Amino acid sequence: MQINYPRLLADLRRLATFGQAGSGVHRLSFTPEDREARHWLLQRMTEAGLDAQIDGIGNVYGQTKGVNKAVLIGSHTDSVPKGGWLDGALGVLYGLEVARARLEAGAQTDLGIDVISFADEEGTYRALAGSLSFCGHLSEADVEAAKNQQGKSLRKALNEAGYTGRPRATWDLSRDVAYLEGHIEQGPRLESEGKKIGVVTGIVGIRRVQVTCTGQADHAGTTPMHLRKDAGSALIKYCYDLMQRFDQVRSPDSVWNFGHVAFEPGAGNVVPSTARVLVEFRDPVEATLDRLQAEIQAAVATANGQRGVGVQATELIRISPAEMDANLAALIEAAARGRGAPTLRMPSGAGHDAMVLTRHVPTAMLFIPSIGGRSHDIAEDTDEADICLGIDVLADTVRALAERR
Ligand SMILES: [Zn+2]
């Protein structure tokens, strides 16, 4: 099969015109621009000779005709607000180009390529909705409950898009032999270490905990310091203590973030009665997440009751780490070596549809470098040479899979 690089790059540029925002895209799920992009993709799949449809959740799914086994390649085409042009789009159009090149070459095996763009990966309504639906983890009640920030339900969005009533595509154990997702790294590691292909070992687990300090509101001028039950100061002290604790038990891959802080009543001349912080932390290993969470509790035990302030922690989100298939990862690594591309084995710090698929189908991901590590911003970009190297490695991985059968 012969990859047509100008055609791949032209498709990427064309897809970026739907919801174009400067050098990036603003293509939130089920908006007119997102739906137009889906329709365009459907046409491109059909032109390529795939049996393509948009299903009842908005997944664009193109299957190779006349085969019983297939490698599924894909990602997503929705974006975050004012996001980059390659996040998700790259993996979908990699799949389209590999499928197209393979059909043009008149593939000699019974192993076809199926291509998919999963709906709402970025979670305008429900993160990973398309891949969850594809794998049977999104009930009609979930569709009803999922809402965007304006309170509009996913159900209503699907109605408006005209997708309601269509069957939902699902994975097929007898057909799908592997899921492959190419993606930009969205971080700086490949670039800073001079590597070209990231071989993803797993996708990090995510936990989010809200820590709340409860004290008492008082006049900030007249209340002596030793009589204050200052929830704000208690929270700041807590966070500082927690950072030091996390540093003691972290792994090299651990990351954490105090993403949101709120003081109530929130005035310069009032001692805060309540203070809250969202602590989010990620790691590819569940045991490390357990260790980090234990430190949150230990820090609560230390802080609780000091200077009359109560401290408690509530878990809000718990997503387990997802391992990638080691055999497929080894094939990607070998393919990269064959192209002379320096590789880096690395976890993914961001969530991807692959984390859902890997529970059912052997799944692997490859990363290509992000310039300056920038992503989820219109500044996101990747060298064209790296985009082309990435699809070469992906296509070689598919070849190796076909030969192995
Ligand atoms: Zn993405």
Side-chain angles (χ1 to χ4, degrees):
M1 95 178 106
Q2 184 58 49
I3 296 295
N4 184 331
Y5 309 109
R7 181 170 60 185
L8 167 68
L9 295 168
D11 276 349
L12 281 166
R13 298 283 176 201
R14 174 75 178 103
L15 182 52
T17 64
F18 296 97
Q20 182 179 355
S23 58
V25 294
H26 185 82
R27 200 163 57 225
L28 307 190
S29 295
F30 308 118
T31 54
E33 46 278 15
D34 174 61
R35 280 145 54 184
E36 282 164 26
R38 279 171 202 288
H39 190 71
W40 171 81
L41 179 63
L42 177 73
Q43 283 180 321
R44 290 302 269 165
M45 285 182 180
T46 306
E47 286 162 16
L50 298 172
D51 181 9
Q53 61 197 294
I54 300 179
D55 81 348
I57 199 75
N59 290 336
V60 191
Y61 186 33
Q63 294 181 289
T64 296
K65 299 169 188 166
V67 296
N68 299 318
K69 301 282 180 193
V71 177
L72 181 64
I73 306 177
S75 192
H76 61 96
T77 50
D78 65 311
S79 84
V80 295
K82 298 202 175 113
W85 68 296
L86 293 170
D87 181 355
L90 181 90
V92 174
L93 294 182
Y94 269 8
L96 175 63
E97 179 54 34
V98 171
R100 206 159 37 191
R102 198 156 175 79
L103 287 169
E104 284 170 353
Q108 302 298 308
T109 73
D110 64 340
L111 185 69
I113 307 292
D114 294 346
V115 186
I116 195 157
S117 167
F118 289 115
D120 203 19
E121 192 269 352
E122 298 288 8
T124 300
Y125 293 85
R126 168 73 190 255
L128 306 167
S131 46
L132 287 168
S133 169
F134 191 72
C135 294
H137 300 299
L138 192 78
S139 67
E140 291 302 317
D142 293 334
V143 172
E144 216 65 61
K147 291 189 167 51
N148 71 2
Q149 280 185 347
Q150 289 73 42
K152 182 169 158 184
S153 71
L154 176 53
R155 164 75 61 228
K156 186 148 189 276
L158 291 169
N159 281 339
E160 286 174 5
Y163 301 153
T164 303
R166 300 183 188 195
R168 289 209 236 153
T170 50
W171 69 289
D172 179 352
L173 179 60
S174 68
R175 179 182 177 92
D176 301 319
V177 302
Y179 173 68
L180 298 175
E181 185 168 348
H183 207 282
I184 51 165
E185 182 199 349
Q186 303 182 277
R189 284 190 64 189
L190 291 174
E191 187 181 71
S192 64
E193 295 182 35
K195 310 290 188 185
K196 287 297 180 188
I197 298 291
V199 181
V200 179
T201 50
I203 298 173
V204 297
I206 305 173
R207 296 194 197 175
R208 191 180 296 166
V209 175
Q210 179 170 269
V211 177
T212 305
C213 297
T214 311
Q216 179 177 302
D218 276 306
H219 196 292
T222 61
T223 316
M225 293 302 285
H226 71 283
L227 293 179
R228 296 181 184 205
K229 298 175 179 174
D230 182 347
S233 298
L235 189 82
I236 290 165
K237 195 157 173 255
Y238 176 88
C239 290
Y240 184 69
D241 179 35
L242 188 61
M243 284 197 287
Q244 292 176 316
R245 288 172 177 272
F246 274 1
D247 269 329
Q248 299 294 316
V249 302
R250 64 170 300 178
S251 81
D253 294 319
S254 301
V255 293
W256 60 83
N257 185 42
F258 299 116
H260 187 257
V261 178
F263 285 6
E264 289 171 19
N269 57 0
V270 184
V271 176
S273 57
T274 309
R276 293 190 189 87
V277 63
L278 289 179
V279 186
E280 189 176 279
F281 50 107
R282 306 183 186 211
D283 194 274
V285 176
E286 196 90 64
T288 308
L289 294 168
D290 289 339
R291 279 208 312 272
L292 291 163
Q293 195 152 354
E295 292 303 321
I296 290 182
Q297 288 305 335
V300 164
T302 302
N304 188 31
Q306 281 192 27
R307 293 175 178 250
V309 176
V311 184
Q312 62 178 68
T314 313
E315 183 182 290
L316 301 181
I317 288 178
R318 175 185 286 242
I319 299 170
S320 290
E323 276 183 41
M324 298 291 104
D325 184 86
N327 293 323
L328 284 176
L331 284 184
I332 292 173
E333 209 163 37
R337 212 177 301 127
R339 294 277 174 176
T343 60
L344 180 67
R345 287 191 162 240
M346 61 188 297
S348 169
H352 296 288
D353 293 301
M355 68 200 282
V356 181
L357 272 291
T358 194
R359 289 192 249 163
H360 303 280
V361 185
T363 291
M365 287 191 81
L366 69 85
F367 284 161
I368 59 171
S370 295
I371 296 172
R374 301 295 304 279
S375 185
H376 280 192
D377 186 85
I378 62 169
E380 171 198 294
D381 205 3
T382 295
D383 279 338
E384 285 189 353
D386 290 343
I387 293 175
C388 296
L389 179 61
I391 196 168
D392 282 337
V393 172
L394 185 69
D396 288 354
T397 303
V398 170
R399 272 191 206 100
L401 261 175
E403 279 162 17
R404 213 177 54 171
R405 286 171 50 78

